[in-house]
Amino acid sequence: MTDNPSPFAQRGSTEQVEDGRALAPKFDADGLVTCVATDARSGDVLMVAHMNAEALARTIATGEAWYFSRSRKALWRKGETSGHAQRIVEMRIDCDQDAVWIKVEQAGAGACHTGRRSCFYRAVPLGKEGAVTLEFRDGEKLFDPKDVYRK
Amino acid sequence: MTDNPSPFAQRGSTEQVEDGRALAPKFDADGLVTCVATDARSGDVLMVAHMNAEALARTIATGEAWYFSRSRKALWRKGETSGHAQRIVEMRIDCDQDAVWIKVEQAGAGACHTGRRSCFYRAVPLGKEGAVTLEFRDGEKLFDPKDVYRK
């Protein structure tokens, strides 16, 4: 795979980036784009993560989600440890090409390393100032991370 | 508003951050968290942007989306120029508290500065290696940015 030419074009003018058909991602200073994964059935946001050029190229080539871990500084295929892979139904890129949206079929019980379906299991109440108390929503643990992630 | 105490707690242990009820955002080196805005009706991702502490606090206090522009290095209320404000129906925060998800009622024709409903109006075809040709989806321009954004 790494012997193949890059799937990415050079960044052109704003018009080329926003209204063109060439994939010319804007990687940030750390070489990353943001990726939002939503559940293809429910539409819920499952997770937000990052892709470097290699993760993005592998995701496009394979139709499975690959990410780059900022904390571990490592490429990873979603599900490689947990089995909870993400098969991509549709992939989109945004206007300035620094964020991608993938609609996925989530294998296994969930996307979140804490054992939940989604990483977004707490709501932030609105309309108040001062300290905030989060409210759990859809926060049921569907699997035990200790069973799923080998240490 | 700025005279009020911060709505944010100090970062605690991993367990406190992931399983607690205190809002303790993890701002990155630039002082930002990632925000995903989805359409409360369709579930589509409208945009991905960033919030600094003040944008996040104002969003929580007002129930309207405030962002921080990395390019302009400025706080902005979504719609302050275009009129295309975002009223938040629900706000969530993710496991490690470095990303927020807002479900919004999008005022006006769209969220994207290019005139589209969503910033994600191009699909990335999957399963091929080498150069990628993007495919426009839902890419109809619903408003003319020149009419909406004063220079």
Side-chain angles (χ1 to χ4, degrees), chain A residues 4 17-18 20-21 60 90-92 113 120-122 124 127 129 134 137, chain B residues 4 17-18 20-21 60 90-92 113 120-122 124 127 129 134 137:
Chain A
N4 285 292
V17 167
E18 293 183 350
R21 293 178 183 269
I60 293 168
E90 187 177 20
M91 182 174 200
R92 301 234 189 154
H113 77 287
F120 293 86
Y121 48 83
R122 287 171 297 184
V124 183
E129 298 185 15
L134 302 174
R137 304 249 171 101
Chain B
N4 285 292
V17 167
E18 293 183 349
R21 292 177 182 269
I60 292 168
E90 187 177 21
M91 182 174 200
R92 300 235 188 153
H113 78 287
F120 293 86
Y121 48 84
R122 288 171 296 183
V124 182
E129 300 185 12
L134 301 174
R137 303 248 171 100

PDB file of all heavy atoms in Angstrom, chain A residues 4 17-18 20-21 60 90-92 113 120-122 124 127 129 134 137, chain B residues 4 17-18 20-21 60 90-92 113 120-122 124 127 129 134 137:
ATOM      1  N   ASN A   4       2.237   2.698  -3.288  1.00  0.00           N
ATOM      2  CA  ASN A   4       1.362   3.362  -4.250  1.00  0.00           C
ATOM      3  C   ASN A   4       1.465   4.872  -4.133  1.00  0.00           C
ATOM      4  O   ASN A   4       1.827   5.396  -3.086  1.00  0.00           O
ATOM      5  CB  ASN A   4      -0.084   2.913  -4.017  1.00  0.00           C
ATOM      6  CG  ASN A   4      -0.308   1.520  -4.541  1.00  0.00           C
ATOM      7  OD1 ASN A   4      -0.285   1.282  -5.734  1.00  0.00           O
ATOM      8  ND2 ASN A   4      -0.457   0.571  -3.622  1.00  0.00           N
ATOM      9  N   VAL A  17      -9.735  24.283  -3.478  1.00  0.00           N
ATOM     10  CA  VAL A  17      -9.931  23.446  -2.288  1.00  0.00           C
ATOM     11  C   VAL A  17     -11.418  23.287  -1.975  1.00  0.00           C
ATOM     12  O   VAL A  17     -11.891  22.195  -1.662  1.00  0.00           O
ATOM     13  CB  VAL A  17      -9.187  24.051  -1.075  1.00  0.00           C
ATOM     14  CG1 VAL A  17      -9.627  23.401   0.226  1.00  0.00           C
ATOM     15  CG2 VAL A  17      -7.684  23.911  -1.277  1.00  0.00           C
ATOM     16  N   GLU A  18     -12.181  24.387  -2.090  1.00  0.00           N
ATOM     17  CA  GLU A  18     -13.583  24.364  -1.655  1.00  0.00           C
ATOM     18  C   GLU A  18     -14.555  23.886  -2.732  1.00  0.00           C
ATOM     19  O   GLU A  18     -15.607  23.334  -2.403  1.00  0.00           O
ATOM     20  CB  GLU A  18     -13.998  25.764  -1.192  1.00  0.00           C
ATOM     21  CG  GLU A  18     -13.277  26.211   0.067  1.00  0.00           C
ATOM     22  CD  GLU A  18     -13.731  27.563   0.593  1.00  0.00           C
ATOM     23  OE1 GLU A  18     -14.489  28.272  -0.109  1.00  0.00           O
ATOM     24  OE2 GLU A  18     -13.330  27.919   1.714  1.00  0.00           O
ATOM     25  N   GLY A  20     -13.457  22.248  -5.773  1.00  0.00           N
ATOM     26  CA  GLY A  20     -12.866  21.311  -6.704  1.00  0.00           C
ATOM     27  C   GLY A  20     -13.148  19.865  -6.338  1.00  0.00           C
ATOM     28  O   GLY A  20     -13.784  19.567  -5.332  1.00  0.00           O
ATOM     29  N   ARG A  21     -12.637  18.975  -7.197  1.00  0.00           N
ATOM     30  CA  ARG A  21     -12.836  17.544  -6.991  1.00  0.00           C
ATOM     31  C   ARG A  21     -11.558  16.828  -6.551  1.00  0.00           C
ATOM     32  O   ARG A  21     -11.548  15.605  -6.434  1.00  0.00           O
ATOM     33  CB  ARG A  21     -13.361  16.906  -8.287  1.00  0.00           C
ATOM     34  CG  ARG A  21     -14.764  17.365  -8.642  1.00  0.00           C
ATOM     35  CD  ARG A  21     -15.248  16.769  -9.961  1.00  0.00           C
ATOM     36  NE  ARG A  21     -16.560  17.290 -10.305  1.00  0.00           N
ATOM     37  CZ  ARG A  21     -17.713  16.719  -9.954  1.00  0.00           C
ATOM     38  NH1 ARG A  21     -17.717  15.614  -9.257  1.00  0.00           N
ATOM     39  NH2 ARG A  21     -18.859  17.275 -10.308  1.00  0.00           N
ATOM     40  N   ILE A  60      -9.180   5.193   3.229  1.00  0.00           N
ATOM     41  CA  ILE A  60      -9.744   5.313   1.886  1.00  0.00           C
ATOM     42  C   ILE A  60      -9.553   4.011   1.107  1.00  0.00           C
ATOM     43  O   ILE A  60     -10.472   3.522   0.443  1.00  0.00           O
ATOM     44  CB  ILE A  60      -9.105   6.505   1.141  1.00  0.00           C
ATOM     45  CG1 ILE A  60      -9.519   7.815   1.807  1.00  0.00           C
ATOM     46  CG2 ILE A  60      -9.482   6.497  -0.337  1.00  0.00           C
ATOM     47  CD1 ILE A  60      -8.726   9.028   1.343  1.00  0.00           C
ATOM     48  N   GLU A  90     -20.083   5.683   4.201  1.00  0.00           N
ATOM     49  CA  GLU A  90     -19.846   6.867   3.379  1.00  0.00           C
ATOM     50  C   GLU A  90     -18.811   7.749   4.079  1.00  0.00           C
ATOM     51  O   GLU A  90     -18.816   7.861   5.306  1.00  0.00           O
ATOM     52  CB  GLU A  90     -21.132   7.673   3.164  1.00  0.00           C
ATOM     53  CG  GLU A  90     -20.940   8.809   2.161  1.00  0.00           C
ATOM     54  CD  GLU A  90     -22.240   9.577   1.876  1.00  0.00           C
ATOM     55  OE1 GLU A  90     -23.171   9.511   2.692  1.00  0.00           O
ATOM     56  OE2 GLU A  90     -22.298  10.244   0.828  1.00  0.00           O
ATOM     57  N   MET A  91     -17.952   8.353   3.262  1.00  0.00           N
ATOM     58  CA  MET A  91     -16.935   9.263   3.801  1.00  0.00           C
ATOM     59  C   MET A  91     -17.082  10.606   3.105  1.00  0.00           C
ATOM     60  O   MET A  91     -17.235  10.672   1.889  1.00  0.00           O
ATOM     61  CB  MET A  91     -15.547   8.704   3.521  1.00  0.00           C
ATOM     62  CG  MET A  91     -14.409   9.537   4.074  1.00  0.00           C
ATOM     63  SD  MET A  91     -12.826   8.662   3.818  1.00  0.00           S
ATOM     64  CE  MET A  91     -11.818   9.490   5.044  1.00  0.00           C
ATOM     65  N   ARG A  92     -17.038  11.661   3.891  1.00  0.00           N
ATOM     66  CA  ARG A  92     -17.132  13.015   3.327  1.00  0.00           C
ATOM     67  C   ARG A  92     -15.988  13.868   3.858  1.00  0.00           C
ATOM     68  O   ARG A  92     -15.446  13.606   4.927  1.00  0.00           O
ATOM     69  CB  ARG A  92     -18.458  13.659   3.726  1.00  0.00           C
ATOM     70  CG  ARG A  92     -19.668  12.857   3.247  1.00  0.00           C
ATOM     71  CD  ARG A  92     -20.583  13.708   2.457  1.00  0.00           C
ATOM     72  NE  ARG A  92     -21.832  13.041   2.153  1.00  0.00           N
ATOM     73  CZ  ARG A  92     -22.964  13.687   1.923  1.00  0.00           C
ATOM     74  NH1 ARG A  92     -23.014  15.009   2.016  1.00  0.00           N
ATOM     75  NH2 ARG A  92     -24.057  13.026   1.597  1.00  0.00           N
ATOM     76  N   HIS A 113     -13.874   3.458  24.385  1.00  0.00           N
ATOM     77  CA  HIS A 113     -12.984   2.595  25.164  1.00  0.00           C
ATOM     78  C   HIS A 113     -13.475   2.412  26.598  1.00  0.00           C
ATOM     79  O   HIS A 113     -12.991   1.527  27.306  1.00  0.00           O
ATOM     80  CB  HIS A 113     -11.560   3.179  25.186  1.00  0.00           C
ATOM     81  CG  HIS A 113     -11.397   4.338  26.120  1.00  0.00           C
ATOM     82  ND1 HIS A 113     -11.907   5.582  25.853  1.00  0.00           N
ATOM     83  CD2 HIS A 113     -10.819   4.429  27.341  1.00  0.00           C
ATOM     84  CE1 HIS A 113     -11.621   6.391  26.861  1.00  0.00           C
ATOM     85  NE2 HIS A 113     -10.970   5.726  27.773  1.00  0.00           N
ATOM     86  N   PHE A 120     -19.916   9.998  23.583  1.00  0.00           N
ATOM     87  CA  PHE A 120     -20.657  11.193  24.029  1.00  0.00           C
ATOM     88  C   PHE A 120     -21.844  10.780  24.904  1.00  0.00           C
ATOM     89  O   PHE A 120     -22.996  10.893  24.493  1.00  0.00           O
ATOM     90  CB  PHE A 120     -21.095  12.008  22.812  1.00  0.00           C
ATOM     91  CG  PHE A 120     -19.943  12.621  22.062  1.00  0.00           C
ATOM     92  CD1 PHE A 120     -19.274  11.897  21.082  1.00  0.00           C
ATOM     93  CD2 PHE A 120     -19.505  13.905  22.359  1.00  0.00           C
ATOM     94  CE1 PHE A 120     -18.195  12.456  20.395  1.00  0.00           C
ATOM     95  CE2 PHE A 120     -18.432  14.466  21.682  1.00  0.00           C
ATOM     96  CZ  PHE A 120     -17.775  13.734  20.697  1.00  0.00           C
ATOM     97  N   TYR A 121     -21.534  10.267  26.103  1.00  0.00           N
ATOM     98  CA  TYR A 121     -22.560   9.702  26.982  1.00  0.00           C
ATOM     99  C   TYR A 121     -22.936  10.639  28.123  1.00  0.00           C
ATOM    100  O   TYR A 121     -23.645  10.249  29.042  1.00  0.00           O
ATOM    101  CB  TYR A 121     -22.087   8.348  27.541  1.00  0.00           C
ATOM    102  CG  TYR A 121     -20.685   8.367  28.108  1.00  0.00           C
ATOM    103  CD1 TYR A 121     -20.446   8.808  29.395  1.00  0.00           C
ATOM    104  CD2 TYR A 121     -19.600   7.973  27.329  1.00  0.00           C
ATOM    105  CE1 TYR A 121     -19.160   8.848  29.914  1.00  0.00           C
ATOM    106  CE2 TYR A 121     -18.303   8.018  27.831  1.00  0.00           C
ATOM    107  CZ  TYR A 121     -18.087   8.460  29.124  1.00  0.00           C
ATOM    108  OH  TYR A 121     -16.808   8.511  29.625  1.00  0.00           O
ATOM    109  N   ARG A 122     -22.476  11.904  28.050  1.00  0.00           N
ATOM    110  CA  ARG A 122     -22.844  12.885  29.080  1.00  0.00           C
ATOM    111  C   ARG A 122     -23.295  14.185  28.436  1.00  0.00           C
ATOM    112  O   ARG A 122     -22.629  14.689  27.518  1.00  0.00           O
ATOM    113  CB  ARG A 122     -21.662  13.148  30.022  1.00  0.00           C
ATOM    114  CG  ARG A 122     -21.389  11.976  30.974  1.00  0.00           C
ATOM    115  CD  ARG A 122     -20.104  12.169  31.744  1.00  0.00           C
ATOM    116  NE  ARG A 122     -18.966  12.206  30.820  1.00  0.00           N
ATOM    117  CZ  ARG A 122     -17.694  12.290  31.203  1.00  0.00           C
ATOM    118  NH1 ARG A 122     -17.396  12.360  32.494  1.00  0.00           N
ATOM    119  NH2 ARG A 122     -16.726  12.307  30.317  1.00  0.00           N
ATOM    120  N   VAL A 124     -24.290  18.265  28.653  1.00  0.00           N
ATOM    121  CA  VAL A 124     -23.934  19.503  29.358  1.00  0.00           C
ATOM    122  C   VAL A 124     -25.198  20.357  29.438  1.00  0.00           C
ATOM    123  O   VAL A 124     -25.709  20.791  28.413  1.00  0.00           O
ATOM    124  CB  VAL A 124     -22.848  20.276  28.577  1.00  0.00           C
ATOM    125  CG1 VAL A 124     -22.431  21.530  29.338  1.00  0.00           C
ATOM    126  CG2 VAL A 124     -21.648  19.395  28.262  1.00  0.00           C
ATOM    127  N   GLY A 127     -27.797  27.097  29.595  1.00  0.00           N
ATOM    128  CA  GLY A 127     -28.573  28.232  30.090  1.00  0.00           C
ATOM    129  C   GLY A 127     -28.230  28.657  31.498  1.00  0.00           C
ATOM    130  O   GLY A 127     -28.884  29.524  32.066  1.00  0.00           O
ATOM    131  N   GLU A 129     -24.985  29.782  34.288  1.00  0.00           N
ATOM    132  CA  GLU A 129     -23.589  30.172  34.435  1.00  0.00           C
ATOM    133  C   GLU A 129     -23.037  29.505  35.692  1.00  0.00           C
ATOM    134  O   GLU A 129     -23.786  28.962  36.485  1.00  0.00           O
ATOM    135  CB  GLU A 129     -23.476  31.694  34.499  1.00  0.00           C
ATOM    136  CG  GLU A 129     -23.993  32.320  33.207  1.00  0.00           C
ATOM    137  CD  GLU A 129     -23.813  33.827  33.131  1.00  0.00           C
ATOM    138  OE1 GLU A 129     -23.056  34.382  33.927  1.00  0.00           O
ATOM    139  OE2 GLU A 129     -24.433  34.425  32.239  1.00  0.00           O
ATOM    140  N   LEU A 134     -22.627  17.513  34.831  1.00  0.00           N
ATOM    141  CA  LEU A 134     -22.975  16.723  33.644  1.00  0.00           C
ATOM    142  C   LEU A 134     -24.086  15.731  33.972  1.00  0.00           C
ATOM    143  O   LEU A 134     -24.222  15.281  35.106  1.00  0.00           O
ATOM    144  CB  LEU A 134     -21.736  15.976  33.138  1.00  0.00           C
ATOM    145  CG  LEU A 134     -20.542  16.869  32.772  1.00  0.00           C
ATOM    146  CD1 LEU A 134     -19.329  16.000  32.415  1.00  0.00           C
ATOM    147  CD2 LEU A 134     -20.888  17.799  31.626  1.00  0.00           C
ATOM    148  N   ARG A 137     -26.369  10.302  29.780  1.00  0.00           N
ATOM    149  CA  ARG A 137     -27.393   9.920  28.792  1.00  0.00           C
ATOM    150  C   ARG A 137     -26.844   8.763  27.970  1.00  0.00           C
ATOM    151  O   ARG A 137     -25.753   8.861  27.423  1.00  0.00           O
ATOM    152  CB  ARG A 137     -27.677  11.086  27.813  1.00  0.00           C
ATOM    153  CG  ARG A 137     -28.097  12.373  28.471  1.00  0.00           C
ATOM    154  CD  ARG A 137     -29.535  12.759  28.219  1.00  0.00           C
ATOM    155  NE  ARG A 137     -29.871  13.887  29.064  1.00  0.00           N
ATOM    156  CZ  ARG A 137     -29.916  15.163  28.642  1.00  0.00           C
ATOM    157  NH1 ARG A 137     -29.705  15.430  27.367  1.00  0.00           N
ATOM    158  NH2 ARG A 137     -30.226  16.142  29.465  1.00  0.00           N
TER     159      ARG A 137
ATOM    160  N   ASN B   4     -18.415  36.072  36.108  1.00  0.00           N
ATOM    161  CA  ASN B   4     -18.893  34.884  36.802  1.00  0.00           C
ATOM    162  C   ASN B   4     -17.785  33.846  36.934  1.00  0.00           C
ATOM    163  O   ASN B   4     -16.847  33.810  36.136  1.00  0.00           O
ATOM    164  CB  ASN B   4     -20.079  34.298  36.044  1.00  0.00           C
ATOM    165  CG  ASN B   4     -21.321  35.126  36.263  1.00  0.00           C
ATOM    166  OD1 ASN B   4     -21.847  35.159  37.360  1.00  0.00           O
ATOM    167  ND2 ASN B   4     -21.757  35.832  35.231  1.00  0.00           N
ATOM    168  N   VAL B  17     -12.458  12.118  35.155  1.00  0.00           N
ATOM    169  CA  VAL B  17     -12.753  12.765  33.868  1.00  0.00           C
ATOM    170  C   VAL B  17     -13.766  11.947  33.072  1.00  0.00           C
ATOM    171  O   VAL B  17     -14.703  12.492  32.484  1.00  0.00           O
ATOM    172  CB  VAL B  17     -11.454  12.958  33.060  1.00  0.00           C
ATOM    173  CG1 VAL B  17     -11.767  13.332  31.612  1.00  0.00           C
ATOM    174  CG2 VAL B  17     -10.578  14.016  33.715  1.00  0.00           C
ATOM    175  N   GLU B  18     -13.606  10.618  33.080  1.00  0.00           N
ATOM    176  CA  GLU B  18     -14.428   9.776  32.209  1.00  0.00           C
ATOM    177  C   GLU B  18     -15.752   9.352  32.835  1.00  0.00           C
ATOM    178  O   GLU B  18     -16.724   9.116  32.114  1.00  0.00           O
ATOM    179  CB  GLU B  18     -13.644   8.516  31.817  1.00  0.00           C
ATOM    180  CG  GLU B  18     -12.446   8.822  30.933  1.00  0.00           C
ATOM    181  CD  GLU B  18     -11.698   7.584  30.466  1.00  0.00           C
ATOM    182  OE1 GLU B  18     -11.983   6.479  30.986  1.00  0.00           O
ATOM    183  OE2 GLU B  18     -10.836   7.726  29.586  1.00  0.00           O
ATOM    184  N   GLY B  20     -17.064  10.890  35.848  1.00  0.00           N
ATOM    185  CA  GLY B  20     -17.581  11.857  36.793  1.00  0.00           C
ATOM    186  C   GLY B  20     -18.599  12.803  36.185  1.00  0.00           C
ATOM    187  O   GLY B  20     -18.913  12.733  34.998  1.00  0.00           O
ATOM    188  N   ARG B  21     -19.118  13.693  37.030  1.00  0.00           N
ATOM    189  CA  ARG B  21     -20.133  14.645  36.594  1.00  0.00           C
ATOM    190  C   ARG B  21     -19.596  16.070  36.512  1.00  0.00           C
ATOM    191  O   ARG B  21     -20.353  17.007  36.250  1.00  0.00           O
ATOM    192  CB  ARG B  21     -21.320  14.606  37.560  1.00  0.00           C
ATOM    193  CG  ARG B  21     -22.085  13.288  37.489  1.00  0.00           C
ATOM    194  CD  ARG B  21     -23.228  13.238  38.501  1.00  0.00           C
ATOM    195  NE  ARG B  21     -23.897  11.948  38.439  1.00  0.00           N
ATOM    196  CZ  ARG B  21     -24.940  11.666  37.670  1.00  0.00           C
ATOM    197  NH1 ARG B  21     -25.448  12.591  36.886  1.00  0.00           N
ATOM    198  NH2 ARG B  21     -25.487  10.466  37.673  1.00  0.00           N
ATOM    199  N   ILE B  60     -22.448  27.521  26.630  1.00  0.00           N
ATOM    200  CA  ILE B  60     -23.197  26.885  27.714  1.00  0.00           C
ATOM    201  C   ILE B  60     -24.172  27.883  28.350  1.00  0.00           C
ATOM    202  O   ILE B  60     -25.330  27.556  28.615  1.00  0.00           O
ATOM    203  CB  ILE B  60     -22.222  26.328  28.779  1.00  0.00           C
ATOM    204  CG1 ILE B  60     -21.434  25.158  28.193  1.00  0.00           C
ATOM    205  CG2 ILE B  60     -22.970  25.901  30.046  1.00  0.00           C
ATOM    206  CD1 ILE B  60     -20.246  24.717  29.039  1.00  0.00           C
ATOM    207  N   GLU B  90     -29.231  20.109  22.236  1.00  0.00           N
ATOM    208  CA  GLU B  90     -28.549  19.281  23.241  1.00  0.00           C
ATOM    209  C   GLU B  90     -27.047  19.396  23.034  1.00  0.00           C
ATOM    210  O   GLU B  90     -26.576  19.469  21.894  1.00  0.00           O
ATOM    211  CB  GLU B  90     -28.972  17.808  23.121  1.00  0.00           C
ATOM    212  CG  GLU B  90     -28.412  16.948  24.256  1.00  0.00           C
ATOM    213  CD  GLU B  90     -28.882  15.493  24.207  1.00  0.00           C
ATOM    214  OE1 GLU B  90     -29.308  15.030  23.138  1.00  0.00           O
ATOM    215  OE2 GLU B  90     -28.803  14.823  25.255  1.00  0.00           O
ATOM    216  N   MET B  91     -26.326  19.415  24.139  1.00  0.00           N
ATOM    217  CA  MET B  91     -24.862  19.474  24.083  1.00  0.00           C
ATOM    218  C   MET B  91     -24.306  18.287  24.853  1.00  0.00           C
ATOM    219  O   MET B  91     -24.764  17.988  25.963  1.00  0.00           O
ATOM    220  CB  MET B  91     -24.374  20.763  24.734  1.00  0.00           C
ATOM    221  CG  MET B  91     -22.869  20.959  24.682  1.00  0.00           C
ATOM    222  SD  MET B  91     -22.460  22.611  25.337  1.00  0.00           S
ATOM    223  CE  MET B  91     -20.842  22.831  24.627  1.00  0.00           C
ATOM    224  N   ARG B  92     -23.323  17.632  24.273  1.00  0.00           N
ATOM    225  CA  ARG B  92     -22.682  16.500  24.945  1.00  0.00           C
ATOM    226  C   ARG B  92     -21.167  16.680  24.933  1.00  0.00           C
ATOM    227  O   ARG B  92     -20.630  17.372  24.076  1.00  0.00           O
ATOM    228  CB  ARG B  92     -23.029  15.199  24.210  1.00  0.00           C
ATOM    229  CG  ARG B  92     -24.541  14.927  24.167  1.00  0.00           C
ATOM    230  CD  ARG B  92     -24.856  13.601  24.730  1.00  0.00           C
ATOM    231  NE  ARG B  92     -26.253  13.236  24.535  1.00  0.00           N
ATOM    232  CZ  ARG B  92     -26.669  11.972  24.462  1.00  0.00           C
ATOM    233  NH1 ARG B  92     -25.791  10.978  24.528  1.00  0.00           N
ATOM    234  NH2 ARG B  92     -27.949  11.695  24.324  1.00  0.00           N
ATOM    235  N   HIS B 113     -19.894  28.416   5.073  1.00  0.00           N
ATOM    236  CA  HIS B 113     -19.602  29.741   4.509  1.00  0.00           C
ATOM    237  C   HIS B 113     -19.600  29.735   2.980  1.00  0.00           C
ATOM    238  O   HIS B 113     -19.622  30.788   2.360  1.00  0.00           O
ATOM    239  CB  HIS B 113     -18.246  30.250   5.030  1.00  0.00           C
ATOM    240  CG  HIS B 113     -17.077  29.618   4.347  1.00  0.00           C
ATOM    241  ND1 HIS B 113     -16.698  28.313   4.587  1.00  0.00           N
ATOM    242  CD2 HIS B 113     -16.217  30.074   3.403  1.00  0.00           C
ATOM    243  CE1 HIS B 113     -15.645  28.021   3.829  1.00  0.00           C
ATOM    244  NE2 HIS B 113     -15.337  29.073   3.102  1.00  0.00           N
ATOM    245  N   PHE B 120     -19.972  19.486   4.672  1.00  0.00           N
ATOM    246  CA  PHE B 120     -19.543  18.177   4.162  1.00  0.00           C
ATOM    247  C   PHE B 120     -20.339  17.816   2.909  1.00  0.00           C
ATOM    248  O   PHE B 120     -21.173  16.918   2.926  1.00  0.00           O
ATOM    249  CB  PHE B 120     -19.696  17.122   5.260  1.00  0.00           C
ATOM    250  CG  PHE B 120     -18.755  17.327   6.417  1.00  0.00           C
ATOM    251  CD1 PHE B 120     -19.090  18.177   7.467  1.00  0.00           C
ATOM    252  CD2 PHE B 120     -17.519  16.698   6.452  1.00  0.00           C
ATOM    253  CE1 PHE B 120     -18.226  18.381   8.527  1.00  0.00           C
ATOM    254  CE2 PHE B 120     -16.642  16.901   7.509  1.00  0.00           C
ATOM    255  CZ  PHE B 120     -16.997  17.744   8.558  1.00  0.00           C
ATOM    256  N   TYR B 121     -20.070  18.536   1.811  1.00  0.00           N
ATOM    257  CA  TYR B 121     -20.852  18.395   0.586  1.00  0.00           C
ATOM    258  C   TYR B 121     -20.122  17.591  -0.487  1.00  0.00           C
ATOM    259  O   TYR B 121     -20.556  17.549  -1.621  1.00  0.00           O
ATOM    260  CB  TYR B 121     -21.250  19.781   0.046  1.00  0.00           C
ATOM    261  CG  TYR B 121     -20.093  20.763  -0.021  1.00  0.00           C
ATOM    262  CD1 TYR B 121     -19.229  20.764  -1.113  1.00  0.00           C
ATOM    263  CD2 TYR B 121     -19.850  21.666   1.018  1.00  0.00           C
ATOM    264  CE1 TYR B 121     -18.162  21.637  -1.169  1.00  0.00           C
ATOM    265  CE2 TYR B 121     -18.780  22.545   0.969  1.00  0.00           C
ATOM    266  CZ  TYR B 121     -17.945  22.529  -0.123  1.00  0.00           C
ATOM    267  OH  TYR B 121     -16.878  23.393  -0.168  1.00  0.00           O
ATOM    268  N   ARG B 122     -19.006  16.965  -0.109  1.00  0.00           N
ATOM    269  CA  ARG B 122     -18.280  16.119  -1.058  1.00  0.00           C
ATOM    270  C   ARG B 122     -17.933  14.783  -0.424  1.00  0.00           C
ATOM    271  O   ARG B 122     -17.432  14.728   0.706  1.00  0.00           O
ATOM    272  CB  ARG B 122     -16.990  16.822  -1.536  1.00  0.00           C
ATOM    273  CG  ARG B 122     -17.266  17.984  -2.483  1.00  0.00           C
ATOM    274  CD  ARG B 122     -16.011  18.790  -2.749  1.00  0.00           C
ATOM    275  NE  ARG B 122     -15.525  19.413  -1.518  1.00  0.00           N
ATOM    276  CZ  ARG B 122     -14.469  20.219  -1.460  1.00  0.00           C
ATOM    277  NH1 ARG B 122     -13.785  20.505  -2.555  1.00  0.00           N
ATOM    278  NH2 ARG B 122     -14.103  20.740  -0.303  1.00  0.00           N
ATOM    279  N   VAL B 124     -15.852  11.101  -0.444  1.00  0.00           N
ATOM    280  CA  VAL B 124     -14.570  10.516  -0.823  1.00  0.00           C
ATOM    281  C   VAL B 124     -14.838   9.064  -1.211  1.00  0.00           C
ATOM    282  O   VAL B 124     -15.227   8.270  -0.350  1.00  0.00           O
ATOM    283  CB  VAL B 124     -13.571  10.557   0.356  1.00  0.00           C
ATOM    284  CG1 VAL B 124     -12.219   9.997  -0.069  1.00  0.00           C
ATOM    285  CG2 VAL B 124     -13.439  11.965   0.929  1.00  0.00           C
ATOM    286  N   GLY B 127     -12.118   2.361  -1.354  1.00  0.00           N
ATOM    287  CA  GLY B 127     -11.737   1.076  -1.943  1.00  0.00           C
ATOM    288  C   GLY B 127     -10.757   1.176  -3.083  1.00  0.00           C
ATOM    289  O   GLY B 127     -10.446   0.184  -3.731  1.00  0.00           O
ATOM    290  N   GLU B 129      -6.907   2.832  -4.492  1.00  0.00           N
ATOM    291  CA  GLU B 129      -5.654   3.481  -4.130  1.00  0.00           C
ATOM    292  C   GLU B 129      -5.319   4.507  -5.211  1.00  0.00           C
ATOM    293  O   GLU B 129      -5.929   4.529  -6.265  1.00  0.00           O
ATOM    294  CB  GLU B 129      -4.561   2.433  -3.961  1.00  0.00           C
ATOM    295  CG  GLU B 129      -4.930   1.447  -2.863  1.00  0.00           C
ATOM    296  CD  GLU B 129      -3.851   0.436  -2.530  1.00  0.00           C
ATOM    297  OE1 GLU B 129      -2.714   0.606  -2.966  1.00  0.00           O
ATOM    298  OE2 GLU B 129      -4.176  -0.536  -1.823  1.00  0.00           O
ATOM    299  N   LEU B 134     -13.205  13.559  -5.802  1.00  0.00           N
ATOM    300  CA  LEU B 134     -14.345  13.758  -4.899  1.00  0.00           C
ATOM    301  C   LEU B 134     -15.648  13.804  -5.688  1.00  0.00           C
ATOM    302  O   LEU B 134     -15.670  14.189  -6.856  1.00  0.00           O
ATOM    303  CB  LEU B 134     -14.155  15.064  -4.118  1.00  0.00           C
ATOM    304  CG  LEU B 134     -12.882  15.135  -3.268  1.00  0.00           C
ATOM    305  CD1 LEU B 134     -12.732  16.533  -2.657  1.00  0.00           C
ATOM    306  CD2 LEU B 134     -12.896  14.086  -2.165  1.00  0.00           C
ATOM    307  N   ARG B 137     -22.133  15.808  -3.175  1.00  0.00           N
ATOM    308  CA  ARG B 137     -23.400  15.276  -2.646  1.00  0.00           C
ATOM    309  C   ARG B 137     -24.064  16.389  -1.859  1.00  0.00           C
ATOM    310  O   ARG B 137     -23.439  16.967  -0.969  1.00  0.00           O
ATOM    311  CB  ARG B 137     -23.153  14.101  -1.678  1.00  0.00           C
ATOM    312  CG  ARG B 137     -22.374  12.965  -2.254  1.00  0.00           C
ATOM    313  CD  ARG B 137     -23.183  11.701  -2.427  1.00  0.00           C
ATOM    314  NE  ARG B 137     -22.397  10.724  -3.184  1.00  0.00           N
ATOM    315  CZ  ARG B 137     -21.718   9.710  -2.647  1.00  0.00           C
ATOM    316  NH1 ARG B 137     -21.776   9.501  -1.352  1.00  0.00           N
ATOM    317  NH2 ARG B 137     -21.027   8.881  -3.395  1.00  0.00           N
TER     318      ARG B 137
END
